[in-house]
Coordinates of all heavy atoms in Angstrom, one line a residue:
P16 N 0.8 1.4 -11.5 CA -0.5 2.1 -11.5 C -1.3 1.9 -10.2 O -1.9 2.8 -9.7 CB -1.2 1.6 -12.7 CG -0.2 1.0 -13.6 CD 0.9 0.6 -12.7
V17 N -1.3 0.7 -9.7 CA -2.0 0.4 -8.4 C -1.5 1.3 -7.3 O -2.2 1.9 -6.5 CB -2.0 -1.1 -8.1 CG1 -2.6 -1.3 -6.7 CG2 -2.8 -1.9 -9.1
W18 N -0.1 1.3 -7.2 CA 0.5 2.0 -6.1 C 0.2 3.5 -6.2 O 0.0 4.2 -5.2 CB 2.0 1.8 -6.0 CG 2.3 0.6 -5.1 CD1 2.9 -0.5 -5.5 CD2 2.1 0.6 -3.7 NE1 3.0 -1.4 -4.4 CE2 2.5 -0.7 -3.3 CE3 1.5 1.4 -2.8 CZ2 2.4 -1.1 -2.0 CZ3 1.4 1.0 -1.5 CH2 1.9 -0.2 -1.1
A19 N 0.3 4.0 -7.4 CA 0.0 5.5 -7.6 C -1.4 5.8 -7.2 O -1.6 6.8 -6.5 CB 0.2 5.8 -9.1
G20 N -2.4 4.9 -7.5 CA -3.7 5.2 -7.0 C -3.9 5.1 -5.5 O -4.6 5.9 -4.9
I21 N -3.3 4.1 -4.9 CA -3.3 4.0 -3.5 C -2.7 5.2 -2.8 O -3.3 5.7 -1.8 CB -2.6 2.6 -3.0 CG1 -3.5 1.5 -3.4 CG2 -2.4 2.6 -1.5 CD1 -2.9 0.1 -3.2
I22 N -1.6 5.6 -3.2 CA -0.9 6.7 -2.6 C -1.7 8.0 -2.8 O -1.8 8.8 -1.9 CB 0.6 6.8 -3.1 CG1 1.4 5.6 -2.6 CG2 1.2 8.1 -2.6 CD1 2.7 5.4 -3.2
S23 N -2.3 8.1 -4.0 CA -3.1 9.3 -4.2 C -4.3 9.3 -3.2 O -4.7 10.4 -2.7 CB -3.7 9.3 -5.6 OG -2.6 9.5 -6.5
L24 N -5.0 8.2 -3.0 CA -6.1 8.1 -2.1 C -5.6 8.4 -0.7 O -6.3 9.1 0.1 CB -6.8 6.7 -2.1 CG -7.6 6.5 -3.4 CD1 -8.0 5.0 -3.5 CD2 -8.8 7.4 -3.5
W25 N -4.5 7.9 -0.3 CA -3.9 8.2 1.1 C -3.7 9.7 1.2 O -4.0 10.3 2.2 CB -2.6 7.5 1.3 CG -2.7 6.0 1.7 CD1 -3.9 5.4 2.1 CD2 -1.7 5.1 1.8 NE1 -3.6 4.1 2.4 CE2 -2.2 3.9 2.2 CE3 -0.3 5.1 1.5 CZ2 -1.5 2.7 2.4 CZ3 0.4 4.0 1.6 CH2 -0.1 2.8 2.1
N26 N -3.0 10.3 0.2 CA -2.7 11.7 0.3 C -4.0 12.5 0.3 O -4.1 13.5 1.1 CB -1.8 12.1 -0.9 CG -0.4 11.8 -0.6 OD1 0.1 11.7 0.5 ND2 0.3 11.5 -1.7
E27 N -5.0 12.1 -0.4 CA -6.3 12.8 -0.4 C -6.9 12.8 1.0 O -7.4 13.8 1.5 CB -7.2 12.2 -1.4 CG -8.6 12.8 -1.5 CD -9.5 12.1 -2.5 OE1 -9.0 11.9 -3.6 OE2 -10.6 11.8 -2.1
Y28 N -6.8 11.6 1.7 CA -7.3 11.5 3.0 C -6.6 12.4 4.0 O -7.1 13.0 4.8 CB -7.2 10.0 3.5 CG -7.6 9.8 4.9 CD1 -8.9 9.7 5.3 CD2 -6.6 9.7 5.9 CE1 -9.3 9.5 6.6 CE2 -7.0 9.5 7.2 CZ -8.3 9.4 7.6 OH -8.7 9.3 8.9
E29 N -5.2 12.4 3.9 CA -4.4 13.2 4.8 C -4.8 14.7 4.6 O -4.9 15.4 5.6 CB -2.9 12.9 4.5 CG -2.4 11.6 4.9 CD -2.5 11.3 6.3 OE1 -1.9 12.0 7.1 OE2 -3.2 10.3 6.7
V30 N -4.9 15.1 3.4 CA -5.2 16.5 3.2 C -6.6 16.9 3.7 O -6.8 17.9 4.3 CB -5.1 16.9 1.7 CG1 -5.7 18.2 1.4 CG2 -3.6 16.8 1.2
A31 N -7.6 15.9 3.5 CA -8.9 16.2 4.1 C -8.9 16.2 5.6 O -9.8 16.9 6.2 CB -9.8 15.0 3.6
Q32 N -7.9 15.6 6.2 CA -7.8 15.6 7.7 C -7.0 16.8 8.2 O -6.7 17.0 9.4 CB -7.2 14.3 8.2 CG -7.9 13.1 7.9 CD -9.3 13.1 8.5 OE1 -9.5 13.4 9.7 NE2 -10.3 12.8 7.7
G33 N -6.6 17.7 7.2 CA -5.8 18.9 7.6 C -4.3 18.6 7.8 O -3.6 19.4 8.4
R34 N -3.9 17.4 7.4 CA -2.5 17.0 7.6 C -1.7 17.1 6.2 O -2.4 17.1 5.2 CB -2.4 15.6 8.1 CG -3.1 15.5 9.5 CD -2.8 14.1 10.1 NE -3.4 13.0 9.4 CZ -4.4 12.3 9.9 NH1 -4.9 12.5 11.1 NH2 -4.9 11.3 9.2
P35 N -0.4 17.1 6.3 CA 0.4 17.1 5.0 C 0.3 15.8 4.3 O -0.1 14.8 4.9 CB 1.8 17.5 5.4 CG 1.9 17.0 6.9 CD 0.5 17.2 7.4
T36 N 0.7 15.8 3.0 CA 0.7 14.5 2.3 C 1.8 13.7 2.9 O 2.6 14.1 3.7 CB 1.0 14.8 0.8 OG1 2.2 15.5 0.7 CG2 -0.1 15.6 0.1
L37 N 1.8 12.4 2.5 CA 2.7 11.4 3.2 C 4.2 11.6 2.8 O 5.0 11.1 3.5 CB 2.2 10.0 2.8 CG 0.8 9.7 3.3 CD1 0.4 8.3 2.8 CD2 0.8 9.7 4.8
G38 N 4.5 12.2 1.7 CA 5.9 12.3 1.3 C 6.5 11.0 0.9 O 5.9 10.1 0.3
F39 N 7.8 10.8 1.3 CA 8.5 9.6 1.0 C 7.8 8.4 1.7 O 7.8 8.4 2.9 CB 10.0 9.7 1.4 CG 10.8 8.5 1.1 CD1 11.0 8.1 -0.2 CD2 11.5 7.9 2.1 CE1 11.8 7.0 -0.5 CE2 12.3 6.8 1.8 CZ 12.4 6.3 0.5
I40 N 7.3 7.5 1.0 CA 6.3 6.5 1.5 C 7.0 5.2 2.0 O 6.4 4.5 2.9 CB 5.3 6.2 0.4 CG1 4.1 5.5 1.0 CG2 5.8 5.3 -0.7 CD1 3.0 6.4 1.6
N41 N 8.2 4.9 1.6 CA 8.8 3.7 2.0 C 8.9 3.4 3.5 O 8.5 2.3 3.9 CB 10.2 3.5 1.3 CG 10.1 3.4 -0.2 OD1 9.1 3.6 -0.8 ND2 11.2 2.9 -0.8
P42 N 9.4 4.3 4.3 CA 9.4 4.0 5.7 C 8.0 3.6 6.3 O 7.9 2.7 7.1 CB 9.9 5.3 6.4 CG 10.7 5.9 5.3 CD 9.9 5.6 4.0
L43 N 7.0 4.3 5.9 CA 5.6 4.0 6.3 C 5.2 2.6 5.9 O 4.6 1.9 6.7 CB 4.6 5.1 5.8 CG 3.2 4.8 6.2 CD1 2.9 4.8 7.7 CD2 2.3 5.8 5.5
I44 N 5.5 2.3 4.6 CA 5.1 1.0 4.1 C 5.7 -0.2 4.9 O 5.1 -1.1 5.3 CB 5.5 0.8 2.6 CG1 4.7 1.8 1.8 CG2 5.3 -0.6 2.1 CD1 3.2 1.7 1.9
Y45 N 7.0 0.0 5.2 CA 7.7 -1.1 5.9 C 7.3 -1.1 7.4 O 7.2 -2.2 8.0 CB 9.2 -1.0 5.8 CG 9.7 -1.4 4.5 CD1 9.9 -0.6 3.4 CD2 9.8 -2.8 4.2 CE1 10.3 -1.0 2.2 CE2 10.2 -3.3 3.0 CZ 10.5 -2.4 1.9 OH 10.9 -2.8 0.7
Q46 N 7.0 0.0 8.0 CA 6.5 0.1 9.3 C 5.1 -0.6 9.4 O 4.9 -1.4 10.3 CB 6.3 1.5 9.8 CG 5.8 1.7 11.2 CD 5.5 3.1 11.6 OE1 5.8 4.0 10.8 NE2 5.0 3.3 12.8
V47 N 4.2 -0.3 8.5 CA 2.9 -0.9 8.5 C 3.0 -2.4 8.3 O 2.4 -3.2 9.0 CB 2.0 -0.3 7.4 CG1 0.7 -1.1 7.1 CG2 1.7 1.1 7.8
Y48 N 3.9 -2.9 7.3 CA 4.1 -4.3 7.1 C 4.7 -5.0 8.3 O 4.2 -6.1 8.7 CB 5.0 -4.5 5.9 CG 5.3 -5.9 5.6 CD1 4.4 -6.8 5.0 CD2 6.5 -6.4 6.0 CE1 4.7 -8.1 4.7 CE2 6.9 -7.8 5.8 CZ 6.0 -8.6 5.1 OH 6.3 -9.9 4.9
G49 N 5.6 -4.3 9.0 CA 6.2 -4.9 10.2 C 5.2 -5.1 11.3 O 5.2 -6.1 12.1
S50 N 4.2 -4.2 11.4 CA 3.2 -4.3 12.4 C 2.1 -5.3 12.0 O 1.5 -5.9 12.9 CB 2.5 -2.9 12.7 OG 3.4 -2.0 13.1
N51 N 1.8 -5.4 10.7 CA 0.7 -6.3 10.3 C 1.0 -6.8 8.9 O 0.6 -6.2 7.9 CB -0.6 -5.5 10.3 CG -1.8 -6.4 9.9 OD1 -1.6 -7.6 9.7 ND2 -2.9 -5.9 9.9
P52 N 1.8 -7.9 8.7 CA 2.1 -8.4 7.4 C 0.9 -8.7 6.5 O 1.1 -8.8 5.3 CB 2.9 -9.7 7.7 CG 3.4 -9.5 9.1 CD 2.4 -8.7 9.8
S53 N -0.3 -8.9 7.1 CA -1.4 -9.1 6.2 C -1.9 -7.9 5.4 O -2.9 -8.0 4.7 CB -2.6 -9.7 7.0 OG -3.0 -8.8 8.0
T54 N -1.2 -6.8 5.6 CA -1.5 -5.6 4.8 C -1.1 -5.8 3.3 O -1.4 -5.0 2.5 CB -0.9 -4.3 5.4 OG1 0.5 -4.6 5.6 CG2 -1.5 -3.9 6.7
F55 N -0.3 -6.9 3.1 CA 0.1 -7.3 1.7 C -0.3 -8.7 1.5 O -0.1 -9.5 2.5 CB 1.6 -7.0 1.5 CG 2.0 -5.6 1.5 CD1 2.2 -4.9 2.6 CD2 2.1 -4.9 0.3 CE1 2.5 -3.6 2.6 CE2 2.4 -3.6 0.2 CZ 2.6 -2.9 1.4
F56 N -0.7 -9.1 0.3 CA -0.9 -10.5 0.0 C 0.4 -11.0 -0.5 O 0.9 -10.5 -1.6 CB -2.0 -10.6 -1.1 CG -3.3 -10.1 -0.7 CD1 -3.8 -8.9 -1.2 CD2 -4.1 -10.7 0.2 CE1 -5.1 -8.4 -0.9 CE2 -5.4 -10.3 0.6 CZ -5.8 -9.1 0.0
D57 N 1.0 -11.9 0.2 CA 2.3 -12.5 -0.1 C 2.2 -13.3 -1.4 O 1.4 -14.2 -1.5 CB 2.8 -13.3 1.1 CG 4.3 -13.5 1.0 OD1 5.0 -13.0 0.1 OD2 4.8 -14.3 1.8
I58 N 3.0 -13.1 -2.3 CA 3.1 -13.9 -3.6 C 4.3 -14.8 -3.5 O 5.4 -14.3 -3.4 CB 3.2 -13.0 -4.8 CG1 2.0 -12.1 -4.8 CG2 3.3 -13.8 -6.1 CD1 2.0 -10.9 -5.8
V59 N 4.0 -16.1 -3.4 CA 5.1 -17.1 -3.1 C 5.4 -18.0 -4.3 O 6.3 -18.8 -4.2 CB 4.8 -17.9 -1.8 CG1 4.8 -17.0 -0.6 CG2 3.5 -18.6 -1.9
N60 N 4.6 -17.9 -5.4 CA 4.9 -18.8 -6.5 C 5.2 -17.9 -7.8 O 4.4 -17.0 -8.1 CB 3.6 -19.6 -6.8 CG 3.4 -20.6 -5.7 OD1 4.3 -21.3 -5.3 ND2 2.1 -20.6 -5.3
G61 N 6.3 -18.2 -8.4 CA 6.6 -17.5 -9.6 C 8.0 -17.0 -9.7 O 8.8 -17.2 -8.7
N62 N 8.4 -16.3 -10.8 CA 9.7 -15.8 -10.9 C 9.6 -14.7 -12.0 O 8.6 -14.5 -12.6 CB 10.7 -16.9 -11.3 CG 10.4 -17.5 -12.6 OD1 10.3 -16.9 -13.6 ND2 10.2 -18.9 -12.5
N63 N 10.8 -14.1 -12.3 CA 10.8 -13.0 -13.3 C 11.8 -13.4 -14.4 O 12.4 -12.6 -15.1 CB 11.1 -11.7 -12.7 CG 12.5 -11.6 -12.2 OD1 13.3 -12.6 -12.1 ND2 13.0 -10.4 -11.8
K64 N 11.9 -14.7 -14.7 CA 12.8 -15.2 -15.7 C 12.2 -15.1 -17.1 O 12.9 -15.1 -18.1 CB 13.2 -16.6 -15.5 CG 14.0 -16.8 -14.2 CD 14.3 -18.3 -14.0 CE 15.1 -18.4 -12.6 NZ 15.4 -19.8 -12.4
C65 N 10.9 -14.9 -17.3 CA 10.3 -14.9 -18.6 C 9.5 -13.5 -18.7 O 8.9 -13.0 -17.8 CB 9.3 -16.0 -18.7 SG 10.1 -17.6 -18.8
T66 N 9.6 -13.0 -20.0 CA 8.7 -11.9 -20.4 C 7.7 -12.4 -21.3 O 7.5 -13.6 -21.5 CB 9.6 -10.8 -21.1 OG1 10.1 -11.4 -22.3 CG2 10.8 -10.4 -20.2
E67 N 6.9 -11.5 -21.9 CA 5.9 -11.9 -22.9 C 6.5 -12.6 -24.1 O 5.9 -13.4 -24.7 CB 5.1 -10.7 -23.3 CG 4.2 -10.1 -22.2 CD 3.5 -8.9 -22.6 OE1 3.7 -8.4 -23.7 OE2 2.8 -8.4 -21.7
S68 N 7.8 -12.2 -24.4 CA 8.3 -12.7 -25.7 C 9.4 -13.8 -25.5 O 9.7 -14.5 -26.4 CB 8.9 -11.5 -26.4 OG 9.9 -10.9 -25.7
E69 N 10.1 -13.9 -24.4 CA 11.1 -14.9 -24.2 C 11.5 -15.1 -22.7 O 11.1 -14.4 -21.9 CB 12.4 -14.4 -24.9 CG 13.0 -13.1 -24.3 CD 14.2 -12.7 -25.1 OE1 14.1 -11.9 -26.0 OE2 15.4 -13.0 -24.6
C70 N 12.2 -16.2 -22.5 CA 12.7 -16.6 -21.2 C 14.2 -16.6 -21.2 O 14.8 -16.8 -22.3 CB 12.1 -18.0 -20.8 SG 10.4 -18.0 -20.5
C71 N 14.8 -16.5 -20.0 CA 16.2 -16.6 -19.9 C 16.6 -17.4 -18.7 O 15.7 -17.7 -17.9 CB 16.9 -15.2 -19.9 SG 16.8 -14.3 -18.4
E72 N 17.8 -17.8 -18.5 CA 18.2 -18.6 -17.4 C 18.3 -17.9 -16.1 O 18.4 -18.4 -15.0 CB 19.4 -19.4 -17.7 CG 20.7 -18.5 -18.0 CD 21.9 -19.3 -18.3 OE1 22.4 -20.1 -17.4 OE2 22.4 -19.3 -19.4
Y73 N 18.4 -16.5 -16.2 CA 18.7 -15.7 -15.0 C 17.4 -15.0 -14.5 O 16.5 -14.7 -15.3 CB 19.7 -14.7 -15.3 CG 21.0 -15.2 -15.8 CD1 21.4 -15.1 -17.1 CD2 21.8 -15.9 -14.9 CE1 22.6 -15.7 -17.6 CE2 23.0 -16.5 -15.3 CZ 23.4 -16.4 -16.7 OH 24.6 -16.9 -17.1
G74 N 17.3 -14.8 -13.3 CA 16.2 -14.1 -12.7 C 16.0 -14.4 -11.2 O 16.9 -15.1 -10.7
Y75 N 15.0 -14.0 -10.7 CA 14.7 -14.2 -9.2 C 13.4 -15.0 -9.0 O 12.5 -14.8 -9.8 CB 14.6 -12.9 -8.5 CG 15.9 -12.1 -8.5 CD1 16.1 -11.1 -9.4 CD2 16.9 -12.4 -7.7 CE1 17.2 -10.3 -9.5 CE2 18.1 -11.7 -7.7 CZ 18.3 -10.6 -8.6 OH 19.4 -9.9 -8.6
A76 N 13.4 -15.7 -8.0 CA 12.1 -16.5 -7.6 C 11.4 -15.7 -6.5 O 12.0 -15.0 -5.7 CB 12.5 -17.9 -7.2
T77 N 10.1 -15.9 -6.4 CA 9.4 -15.3 -5.3 C 9.7 -16.2 -4.1 O 10.1 -17.3 -4.2 CB 7.9 -15.3 -5.6 OG1 7.5 -16.7 -5.9 CG2 7.5 -14.4 -6.8
A78 N 9.4 -15.6 -2.9 CA 9.6 -16.3 -1.6 C 8.7 -15.7 -0.6 O 8.0 -14.7 -0.8 CB 11.1 -16.1 -1.2
A79 N 8.6 -16.4 0.5 CA 7.7 -15.9 1.6 C 8.3 -14.6 2.1 O 9.5 -14.5 2.2 CB 7.6 -16.9 2.7
G80 N 7.5 -13.6 2.4 CA 8.0 -12.3 2.8 C 8.5 -11.5 1.7 O 8.0 -11.6 0.5
W81 N 9.4 -10.6 1.9 CA 10.0 -9.8 0.9 C 10.8 -10.6 -0.1 O 11.5 -11.5 0.3 CB 10.9 -8.7 1.5 CG 11.3 -7.7 0.4 CD1 10.7 -6.5 0.1 CD2 12.5 -7.8 -0.4 NE1 11.4 -5.9 -0.9 CE2 12.5 -6.7 -1.3 CE3 13.5 -8.8 -0.5 CZ2 13.5 -6.5 -2.2 CZ3 14.5 -8.6 -1.5 CH2 14.5 -7.4 -2.3
D82 N 10.6 -10.3 -1.4 CA 11.5 -10.9 -2.4 C 11.7 -9.9 -3.5 O 10.9 -8.9 -3.7 CB 10.9 -12.2 -2.9 CG 9.6 -12.0 -3.6 OD1 9.5 -11.4 -4.7 OD2 8.6 -12.5 -3.1
P83 N 12.7 -10.0 -4.4 CA 13.0 -9.0 -5.4 C 12.1 -9.0 -6.6 O 12.1 -8.1 -7.4 CB 14.4 -9.4 -5.8 CG 14.6 -10.8 -5.5 CD 13.8 -11.1 -4.3
V84 N 11.2 -10.0 -6.6 CA 10.2 -10.1 -7.7 C 9.0 -9.2 -7.4 O 8.5 -8.4 -8.2 CB 9.8 -11.5 -8.1 CG1 8.8 -11.5 -9.2 CG2 11.0 -12.3 -8.4
T85 N 8.4 -9.4 -6.2 CA 7.2 -8.8 -5.9 C 7.3 -7.8 -4.7 O 6.3 -7.2 -4.3 CB 6.1 -9.8 -5.6 OG1 6.5 -10.5 -4.4 CG2 5.8 -10.7 -6.7
G86 N 8.5 -7.6 -4.2 CA 8.6 -6.8 -3.0 C 7.9 -7.4 -1.8 O 8.1 -8.6 -1.5
L87 N 7.1 -6.6 -1.2 CA 6.3 -7.2 0.0 C 5.1 -7.9 -0.5 O 4.5 -8.6 0.3 CB 5.8 -6.0 0.9 CG 7.0 -5.3 1.6 CD1 6.4 -4.0 2.3 CD2 7.7 -6.2 2.5
G88 N 4.7 -7.8 -1.8 CA 3.6 -8.5 -2.3 C 2.6 -7.6 -2.9 O 2.9 -6.4 -3.2
S89 N 1.4 -8.0 -3.1 CA 0.3 -7.2 -3.6 C -0.4 -6.5 -2.5 O -0.8 -7.1 -1.5 CB -0.7 -8.2 -4.4 OG -1.8 -7.4 -4.9
P90 N -0.7 -5.2 -2.6 CA -1.3 -4.4 -1.5 C -2.7 -4.9 -1.2 O -3.5 -5.1 -2.1 CB -1.3 -3.0 -2.0 CG -1.1 -3.1 -3.5 CD -0.4 -4.4 -3.8
N91 N -3.0 -5.0 0.1 CA -4.3 -5.2 0.6 C -4.9 -3.9 1.0 O -4.7 -3.4 2.2 CB -4.2 -6.2 1.8 CG -5.6 -6.5 2.4 OD1 -6.6 -5.8 2.2 ND2 -5.6 -7.6 3.2
F92 N -5.5 -3.2 0.1 CA -5.9 -1.8 0.3 C -6.7 -1.5 1.5 O -6.4 -0.6 2.3 CB -6.6 -1.2 -1.0 CG -6.9 0.3 -0.8 CD1 -6.0 1.2 -0.8 CD2 -8.2 0.6 -0.5 CE1 -6.3 2.6 -0.6 CE2 -8.6 1.9 -0.3 CZ -7.6 2.9 -0.4
P93 N -7.8 -2.3 1.8 CA -8.6 -1.9 3.0 C -7.7 -1.9 4.3 O -7.9 -1.0 5.1 CB -9.6 -3.0 3.1 CG -9.8 -3.5 1.6 CD -8.4 -3.4 1.1
L94 N -6.8 -2.9 4.4 CA -6.0 -2.9 5.6 C -4.9 -1.8 5.6 O -4.7 -1.2 6.7 CB -5.3 -4.3 5.8 CG -6.2 -5.4 6.2 CD1 -5.4 -6.7 6.3 CD2 -6.9 -5.1 7.5
L95 N -4.4 -1.5 4.5 CA -3.4 -0.4 4.4 C -4.0 0.9 4.7 O -3.5 1.7 5.4 CB -2.8 -0.4 3.0 CG -1.7 -1.5 2.7 CD1 -1.4 -1.5 1.2 CD2 -0.5 -1.3 3.5
Y96 N -5.2 1.1 4.1 CA -5.9 2.4 4.3 C -6.3 2.6 5.8 O -6.1 3.7 6.3 CB -7.2 2.4 3.5 CG -7.9 3.7 3.4 CD1 -7.4 4.8 2.7 CD2 -9.1 3.9 4.1 CE1 -8.0 6.0 2.7 CE2 -9.8 5.1 4.0 CZ -9.3 6.1 3.3 OH -9.9 7.3 3.3
S97 N -6.8 1.5 6.4 CA -7.1 1.7 7.9 C -5.9 1.9 8.7 O -5.9 2.5 9.8 CB -8.0 0.5 8.4 OG -7.3 -0.7 8.3
A98 N -4.7 1.4 8.2 CA -3.5 1.5 9.0 C -3.0 2.9 9.1 O -2.3 3.3 10.1 CB -2.4 0.6 8.4
I99 N -3.3 3.8 8.2 CA -2.8 5.2 8.3 C -3.8 6.1 8.9 O -3.5 7.3 9.1 CB -2.4 5.7 6.9 CG1 -3.6 5.9 6.0 CG2 -1.4 4.9 6.2 CD1 -3.4 7.0 4.9
Q100 N -5.0 5.6 9.1 CA -6.0 6.5 9.7 C -5.8 6.7 11.2 O -5.3 6.0 11.9 CB -7.4 6.0 9.5 CG -7.8 6.0 8.0 CD -9.2 5.5 7.8 OE1 -10.0 5.2 8.7 NE2 -9.5 5.4 6.5

């Protein structure tokens, strides 16, 4: 839900500037992160081995940078928003 809202705001900004919507967003996200990693809050503690109802022995742990649990991390909207302007 957070990403949907962020992308909707980005697309709204692009349309207001007379430009097309962003389309497939992944290349832009990785480009922005590569230029400024602080556009995401890195989550380095945790894993996905447990759900609300049970835990299992398999899963992934978080790590510095990209990881399979949180991807690039939690979005830092103000920095991400200014990166596309």
Side-chain angles (χ1 to χ4, degrees):
V17 171
W18 270 115
I21 288 173
I22 293 168
S23 293
L24 289 171
W25 278 348
N26 282 330
E27 181 180 312
Y28 174 80
E29 292 296 301
V30 169
Q32 299 301 310
R34 298 188 294 244
T36 58
L37 298 172
F39 183 59
I40 197 86
N41 290 16
L43 175 61
I44 296 301
Y45 284 99
Q46 178 185 359
V47 168
Y48 176 78
S50 297
N51 184 0
S53 63
T54 53
F55 290 84
F56 299 108
D57 197 8
I58 300 169
V59 295
N60 295 311
N62 61 60
N63 66 351
K64 295 179 184 181
C65 295
T66 66
E67 293 175 358
S68 59
E69 65 183 84
C70 291
C71 75
E72 64 180 292
Y73 304 106
Y75 297 98
T77 58
W81 185 92
D82 63 69
V84 180
T85 64
L87 295 174
S89 178
N91 181 343
F92 180 74
L94 289 180
L95 285 170
Y96 188 72
S97 64
I99 68 153
Q100 293 184 4

